[in-house]
Amino acid sequence: MSQFNNPILRQTPDINPYRHAAYEVWNRLRWDFNPESRRSRRILKNLKDKYSGQKSVIVCNGPSLLKSDLSLLKNIFTFGLNKINLLFDGSDFRPSCIVVVNPFVIEQNSEFYNNTDIPIFVDTCGSKLIKSSSNVTFLHSSSQYKFAQDCSISVFPGCTVTFVAMQLAFHLGFQEVALIGCDHNFATKGPANTVVVSGEKDDNHFAPNYFAGGVKWQLPDLAASEAAYSLAYEVYSAHGRKLVNATEGGKLEVLPRVSLEKFLNGNYTTI
């Protein structure tokens, strides 16, 4: 179950730790009985700290992504997000892996996920749509507000797939991580997490057909996302690692900014 239909995250009149704990146990046990749970957990355990000390880039889906020089990423491990495949027709760039947690995105883009050889990390809510494959690893989502330094049990969605990618990057051992294409700003306005129907063109992402033609999508929760990014930055910093924003423009200011070229060359500081 994703954060979007998790009853614990809905507004309630009281704080009931018993109900919260019961839901967490039930939610985890339900996934543990699925054979895919054991397979995915084994994969994640084998990936722990595999890239210790290295750099990686999380490639987000904002319009500013088109301003980034993706040719610089040829020898860098990259996390593509959600519908990053819509970039492929006009670019030679291919991510090292793809992370997807939103149920609407999983449903709309399932054909690609089921036919690509690129490694995919996908939320368990997609286990009925995404077939089991050697390149597919399922991630269990928890409602606990934490940064998972070890993703083999559960991750916290943080209202944005970017936060999940940050947790995975930490799990894999990356010492320095940068974001690009994270505009942290949407042309479409409305209450956070509201499910809306798309128009004919998408001005919120790098591709005009990202959410277009009457498909459902969910308005962002920028405040919650920003809080999640701040939590990630604190964890990275506490462990002597770096998390920076190399986006061309945008409105994300809770992470230190650095150009992508300087990040890759190592000629920068975050203080």
Side-chain angles (χ1 to χ4, degrees):
M1 182 177 291
S2 76
Q3 71 269 35
F4 308 119
N5 54 11
N6 182 341
I8 297 299
L9 297 184
R10 298 173 185 163
Q11 187 176 13
T12 57
D14 60 359
I15 296 177
N16 190 325
Y18 297 105
R19 182 171 57 209
H20 180 89
Y23 172 78
E24 284 293 304
V25 172
W26 171 81
N27 186 29
R28 180 66 226 189
L29 283 175
R30 185 179 63 165
W31 175 241
D32 283 341
F33 283 115
N34 189 318
E36 284 300 309
S37 173
R38 294 185 291 276
R39 187 186 69 86
S40 292
R41 191 174 182 187
R42 183 170 60 251
I43 292 172
L44 288 165
K45 283 186 172 295
N46 289 336
L47 287 173
K48 187 74 171 76
D49 296 324
K50 180 178 179 179
Y51 300 93
S52 180
Q54 298 184 35
K55 293 185 179 185
S56 71
V57 173
I58 297 173
V59 182
C60 303
N61 295 163
S64 70
L65 179 61
L66 300 178
K67 300 178 183 179
S68 295
D69 185 357
L70 301 183
S71 68
L72 298 173
L73 303 177
K74 289 182 179 179
N75 298 314
I76 296 294
F77 190 103
T78 52
F79 294 84
L81 307 181
N82 289 344
K83 297 183 181 181
I84 189 63
N85 54 292
L86 296 180
L87 189 72
F88 293 176
D89 285 344
S91 172
D92 293 333
F93 169 76
R94 297 295 183 271
S96 306
C97 67
I98 296 175
V99 185
V100 53
V101 297
N102 184 291
F104 294 130
V105 173
I106 293 171
E107 180 179 4
Q108 295 161 19
N109 209 32
S110 59
E111 183 177 357
F112 169 77
Y113 300 141
N114 280 320
N115 289 283
T116 183
D117 293 328
I118 299 173
I120 300 175
F121 295 93
V122 59
D123 189 277
T124 57
C125 69
S127 60
K128 293 183 179 180
L129 291 173
I130 309 303
K131 62 187 179 183
S132 177
S133 178
S134 60
N135 68 315
V136 173
T137 303
F138 289 101
L139 299 171
H140 177 266
S141 292
S142 169
S143 62
Q144 295 184 62
Y145 191 93
K146 295 180 179 180
F147 181 96
Q149 299 173 38
D150 184 331
C151 299
S152 63
I153 299 179
S154 301
V155 298
F156 176 57
C159 290
T160 169
V161 65
T162 307
F163 184 66
V164 177
M166 291 173 173
Q167 293 169 86
L168 280 170
F170 193 99
H171 175 93
L172 268 61
F174 289 105
Q175 181 68 23
E176 300 179 46
V177 177
L179 307 183
I180 60 172
C182 188
D183 292 51
H184 198 58
N185 180 50
F186 282 69
T188 304
K189 307 298 181 183
N193 300 312
T194 300
V195 176
V196 297
V197 176
S198 66
E200 291 305 310
K201 181 182 178 183
D202 187 347
D203 295 322
N204 301 292
H205 298 89
F206 67 82
N209 61 334
Y210 196 96
F211 288 126
V215 301
K216 291 183 179 179
W217 68 291
Q218 197 162 25
L219 296 181
D221 190 335
L222 295 179
S225 297
E226 194 166 293
Y229 297 154
S230 297
L231 173 60
Y233 180 71
E234 291 177 5
V235 173
Y236 271 76
S237 298
H239 288 81
R241 304 191 195 187
K242 293 182 179 180
L243 180 62
V244 300
N245 181 15
T247 298
E248 294 286 343
K251 295 189 176 181
L252 180 62
E253 303 299 343
V254 297
L255 300 179
R257 281 187 176 270
V258 63
S259 73
L260 178 60
E261 187 172 6
K262 286 185 176 180
F263 170 78
L264 296 176
N265 291 335
N267 183 25
Y268 74 99
T269 60
T270 59
I271 304 299

